[in-house]
C-alpha cells in the first residue's frame, strides 16, 4: 500500500511539473518583451477599439521585422477593456500579473485610464493612453511619471472649442456634459478659456449615461436661449440628444467632440438635423512620413483610411515610441529608465525619424526625435502631447474641415 | 421649467420601465424566480422591431414582428432552460437566467456588431398644446404602450388562461389539484412575458438607439419597479414604473440631473420602509 501511494504521489508530482513546465519555459524566454493592448473593443469606444488593437499588432510586426527592440522580439497580449472601468481593471490585472507585460497601451476612455492607472503605477508598468481627463497628468495620479497621454488633454480640447466659438462669433454658449471625467473635463476646459476671455456660459447641465430620454436636460439648457451648445459627449448619448433636440424645433448651433460626430451619427439623425453641426478634435499629423506608414498599415488591417481613426494613429506612435525607447535603453524594460528614454527619443533636438527601423539605425549615430503619425509627439513634463486641432462642419451630410489651429 | 413637461417625460420613461417590470413580476409570480434575462429579451425585441421597421416603415408591423420574435425566443428559453430547472431553488433559476441573458447579448453582439443602430424614423416637430411641447412620436409610443397593457390585462383578467395563470400565482398546489395544467400555463406565461419586453424594447429603441447593452442597463430600474409595485402584482409593476419615472424627472429642478436616479430610488426605499410588501403586493406568509 505504501509503495503504491508513493507511486501515485510521484505520478502526481510529475503531472504537476508537466503542467507547470510551459510557464517555466516561457519565463526563461528573456528575448521576448510582452506588451499589453487594452483597447475598447466593445462599449462606447467600439467605433475605434478594433482599429486601435489591429494597429498595435501591425506596428509590433514592423518592429519585429526590423529585428526587434534592443535585440528582443515584441509580443502583444490583447484584452478588451469594454469601455468599462470594472472590466478594464480585471483585464489590466491579468495583463500585469499573469502576462507580466512591461507596458499597457491604448486605454481610451478617461474612466478606464483612471481606473487602470493605480494598478500600473503599483506594478511599475508604463501606461500609454488616449484619454482626455486633465487629472491623468496631475502629480496626484501620475506621481511616478509613468503615464503618457497621446491624445489632447481635455483642457486643451476645451480651449479649442472656445477658439472655435470665438471665430464663429457666438456670444451665448451653454454646455452639456456626460457625467464622467472626460465629458466634464471637456466643458470645464471650455468654460475656463471662455471666461478668461471675458465671456459667460449661460447654462450648463451634467447628465447621466444610459437614460431613455434627455428631454428634461435639453429643456433646461434651451430655456436659457443659448446660441451654441458645447458638449462633452459620446456617440450614443449625442445621437439621442440631437434627435430629441431636433424634435423640439428650437434653433441652436452645436459644437461636439469629434469622437461623437461620426458618419454613424449623421446617418442616425439624418442630414437635415445634422446640417451645420460643428465638431472639434485633435488631428493626425497627415503630412508626416509616420502617418503614411500608419495609413498603409491601417488600410491593410481595416480597409478604411487612416484619417478615420485618430486613436489608431496614436496607438501606432505608442508602439514606435516605446520600442525606440527600449532600443535606446539597450533592451531594458525598466519603467523608470524608459520614462526618461521616451522623452529622449520623441522630443526635439536630434535627427527627425518617422519609423522604428529608421530610428533604430539613426540611434547608432546619435540622438533622435520621433515625429509621430498622430502629432509631432513632444511630451511635456507631465507626460502630455500638444496636438493640432481641426474643426469640421457637417454640410450636406458630410464632414467638411473648416479650421486647423493650436490651442 | 414647466412641471408639465417633466411629468410628460417621466411618463414616457415610466411606461418603458413599467412594461419591463410587468414582464418580470409575472414571471416572478408564476414561475417564482427573478428573471434577469428580461433586459436582454427587451434588447432582442428592439432588434427584431428595428429590422421589421426598416423593411416596412409601419409601426403596427414593427410591433407585431417584435412581439412574435421575442415571444418565440421567450418560449424557447422556457423549453430549453427554465422547464428543465423547474423545482430547483429560485437562486439556480436566477443564475440560469443570467446565463441566458449573456448568451442573448453575445449572439446579438456577434450578429449585428457592438455599434449602435437606429430606427430611421422621420424626426418631426412637436405639437404645442397649452404651451407644452408634445412630441408626436411620444404620443404614438404611449398609445402603443397603453394598447399593449390593455391587451396584457385583458389576457390576465378576462380569459380562461389568464385566470389559470393567476390561480397558479396564487397557490400552485391548489391550482394543480383543481385540474390546471401547469405546462400550458407556463407556455402562455413566457409568451406573454416575451411580448411585453418586446414592446418595451421597440419603445426604448425608437426613443434612443439599439445596441446590445440597452436592455441590460434598464434591468435595474425595471427590477426596482417590480419590487416597488409589490412583487407579483401586475398593476403594481406598471404603477411603480410610472411613479419612479415621474418622481425622477420632477426632482430634477431640485437636485439636478446627476442625482435624479438616486431620488427615484429614495422614494422607493421610503415606501418600502412603511409598506414592505410594496404598493400593491399581498402580505405572504413564509412557508
Amino acid at each position: 500500500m505504501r509503495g503504491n501511494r508513493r507511486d501515485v504521489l510521484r505520478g502526481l508530482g510529475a503531472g504537476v511539473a508537466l503542467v507547470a513546465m510551459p510557464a517555466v519555459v516561457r519565463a526563461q524566454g528573456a528575448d521576448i518583451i510582452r506588451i499589453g493592448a487594452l483597447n475598447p473593443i466593445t462599449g462606447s469606444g467600439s467605433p475605434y477599439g478594433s482599429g486601435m488593437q489591429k494597429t498595435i499588432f501591425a506596428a509590433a510586426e514592423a518592429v519585429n521585422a526590423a529585428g526587434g527592440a534592443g535585440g528582443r522580439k515584441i509580443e502583444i497580449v490583447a484584452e478588451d477593456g469594454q469601455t468599462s472601468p470594472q472590466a478594464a481593471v480585471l483585464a489590466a490585472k491579468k495583463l500585469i500579473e499573469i502576462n507580466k507585460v512591461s507596458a499597457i497601451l491604448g486605454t481610451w476612455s478617461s474612466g478606464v485610464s483612471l481606473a487602470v492607472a493605480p494598478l500600473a503605477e503599483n506594478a511599475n508598468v508604463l501606461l500609454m493612453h488616449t484619454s482626455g481627463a486633465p487629472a491623468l497628468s496631475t502629480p496626484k495620479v501620475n506621481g511616478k511619471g509613468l503615464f503618457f497621454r497621446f491624445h489632447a488633454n481635455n483642457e486643451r480640447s476645451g480651449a479649442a472649442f472656445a477658439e472655435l466659438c470665438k471665430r464663429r462669433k457666438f456670444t451665448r454658449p451653454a454646455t452639456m456634459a456626460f457625467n464622467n471625467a472626460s465629458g466634464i473635463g471637456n466643458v470645464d476646459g471650455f468654460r475656463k478659456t471662455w471666461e478668461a476671455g471675458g465671456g459667460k456660459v449661460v447654462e450648463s447641465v451634467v447628465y447621466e449615461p444610459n437614460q431613455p430620454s434627455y428631454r428634461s436636460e435639453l429643456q433646461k439648457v434651451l430655456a436659457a436661449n443659448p446660441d451654441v451648445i458645447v458638449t462633452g459627449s459620446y456617440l450614443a448619448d449625442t445621437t439621442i440628444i440631437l434627435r430629441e433636440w431636433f424634435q423640439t424645433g428650437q434653433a441652436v448651433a452645436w459644437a461636439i467632440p469629434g469622437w461623437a460626430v461620426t458618419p454613424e451619427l449623421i446617418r442616425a439623425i439624418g442630414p437635415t438635423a445634422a446640417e451645420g453641426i460643428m465638431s472639434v478634435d485633435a488631428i493626425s499629423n497627415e503630412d508626416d512620413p509616420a502617418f503614411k506608414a500608419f495609413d498603409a498599415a491601417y488600410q491593410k488591417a481595416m480597409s478604411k483610411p487612416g484619417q478615420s481613426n485618430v486613436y489608431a494613429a496614436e496607438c501606432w506612435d505608442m508602439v514606435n515610441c516605446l520600442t525606440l525607447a527600449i532600443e535606446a535603453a539597450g533592451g531594458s524594460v525598466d519603467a523608470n529608465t524608459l520614462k526618461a528614454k521616451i522623452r529622449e527619443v520623441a522630443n526635439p533636438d536630434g535627427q527627425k525619424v518617422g519609423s522604428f527601423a529608421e530610428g533604430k539605425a539613426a540611434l547608432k549615430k546619435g540622438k533622435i526625435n520621433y515625429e509621430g503619425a498622430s502629432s509631432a509627439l513632444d511630451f511635456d513634463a507631465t507626460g502630455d502631447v500638444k496636438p493640432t486641432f481641426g474643426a469640421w462642419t457637417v454640410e450636406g451630410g458630410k464632414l467638411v474641415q473648416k479650421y486647423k489651429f493650436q490651442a | 421649467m414647466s412641471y408639465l413637461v417633466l411629468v410628460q417625460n417621466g411618463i414616457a420613461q415610466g411606461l418603458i420601465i413599467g412594461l419591463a417590470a410587468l414582464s418580470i413580476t409575472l414571471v416572478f409570480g408564476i414561475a417564482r424566480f427573478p428573471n434577469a434575462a428580461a433586459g436582454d429579451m427587451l434588447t432582442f425585441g428592439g432588434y427584431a422591431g428595428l429590422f421589421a421597421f426598416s423593411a416596412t416603415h409601419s409601426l403596427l408591423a414593427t410591433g407585431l414582428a417584435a412581439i412574435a420574435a421575442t415571444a418565440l425566443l421567450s418560449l424557447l428559453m422556457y423549453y430549453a432552460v427554465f422547464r428543465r430547472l423547474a423545482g430547483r431553488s429560485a437562486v439556480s433559476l436566477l443564475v440560469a437566467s443570467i446565463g441566458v441573458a449573456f448568451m442573448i447579448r453575445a449572439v446579438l453582439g456577434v450578429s449585428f456588431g457592438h455599434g449602435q443602430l437606429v430606427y430611421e424614423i422621420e424626426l418631426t416637430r412637436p405639437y404645442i398644446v397649452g404651451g407644452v411641447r408634445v412630441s408626436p412620436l411620444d404620443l404614438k409610443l404611449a398609445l402603443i404602450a397603453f394598447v399593449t397593457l390593455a391587451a396584457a390585462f385583458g389576457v390576465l383578467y378576462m380569459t380562461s388562461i389568464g385566470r389559470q395563470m393567476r390561480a397558479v400565482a396564487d397557490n400552485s398546489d391548489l391550482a394543480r389539484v383543481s385540474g390546471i395544467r401547469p405546462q400550458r400555463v407556463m407556455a402562455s406565461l413566457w409568451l406573454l412575458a416575451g411580448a411585453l419586453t418586446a414592446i418595451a424594447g421597440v419603445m426604448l429603441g425608437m426613443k434612443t438607439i439599439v445596441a446590445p447593452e440597452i436592455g441590460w442597463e434598464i434591468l435595474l430600474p425595471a427590477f426596482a419597479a417590480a419590487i416597488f409595485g409589490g412583487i407579483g402584482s401586475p398593476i403594481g409593476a406598471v404603477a411603480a414604473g410610472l411613479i419612479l419615472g415621474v418622481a425622477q424627472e420632477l426632482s430634477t429642478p431640485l437636485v439636478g440631473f446627476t442625482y435624479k436616479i438616486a431620488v427615484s430610488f429614495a422614494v422607493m426605499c421610503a415606501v418600502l420602509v412603511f409598506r414592505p410588501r410594496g404598493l400593491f403586493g399581498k402580505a405572504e406568509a413564509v412557508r
Side-chain angles (χ1 to χ4, degrees), chain A residues 342-362:
Chain A
I342 285 172
R343 286 195 178 80
E344 237 179 84
V345 298
N347 290 7
D349 269 6
Q351 190 193 330
K352 288 190 178 182
V353 299
S355 72
F356 174 79
E358 200 187 336
K360 187 176 177 177

Side-chain angles (χ1 to χ4, degrees), chain B residues 40 44 47 73 100-114 212:
Chain B
D40 292 275
F44 185 87
Y47 274 96
L73 169 80
V100 170
F102 276 125
M103 266 188 61
I104 297 175
R105 207 175 324 150
V107 168
L108 289 173
V110 168
S111 313
F112 308 114
H114 289 274

